[in-house]
Amino acid sequence: VEMTEEEAAEFRRAFFEAYPKIEAWHDRKRRKANGRLKEVRTLVGRRRLLPGDASWWDKFSTGVNTPVQGRAADGMKLAMLTLADKYPGRLVSAIHDEVIMEVPEGDAEQTLEGVTHIMEEEMAKVVSDRVRPLPAP
């Protein structure tokens, strides 16, 4: 995207005007980044440690990205656990929001429907905060 700094500032202003809660969240993350932020956690409590020499920008960026991307990863991990319990097939691979499973050919359609349902259900849990965080170590 090509734009001037003035155009970028106007875009940012309009975005935060449209989404004031995101602006408030960013403000909270900025304050934490200015402090002694050493780690960021996902919803279920997985930790992302920050190096002691992390810049303000690294702390802020990690502070806003980890909860969002980590939440998506938490949902995927929960879905894989449920899939392993419910299906006799073998989970071969998982990449971002996809899973590859080996199942008998005759079970493929039914497995696809079940896998889709489980993945949607587990992600709905993390998006709606129905998953309890893990206790801190």
Side-chain angles (χ1 to χ4, degrees), residues 28-76:
R28 288 191 304 276
K29 296 299 181 179
R30 268 190 212 89
R31 285 192 298 276
K32 285 186 176 185
N34 281 328
R36 294 192 169 157
L37 186 65
K38 295 181 180 179
E39 71 176 39
V40 179
R41 290 182 179 258
T42 68
L43 177 70
V44 300
R46 290 184 305 112
R47 298 176 357 166
R48 182 158 182 200
L49 300 176
L50 293 159
D53 62 348
S55 69
W56 173 87
W57 176 253
D58 288 339
K59 290 178 183 179
F60 173 73
S61 179
T62 301
V64 296
N65 283 321
T66 298
V68 175
Q69 293 176 349
R71 186 172 282 208
D74 289 344
M76 186 65 169

Side-chain angles (χ1 to χ4, degrees), residues 9 13 15 61-63 85 113:
R13 185 204 60 72
F15 177 84
S61 179
T62 301
D85 285 344
E113 290 174 19

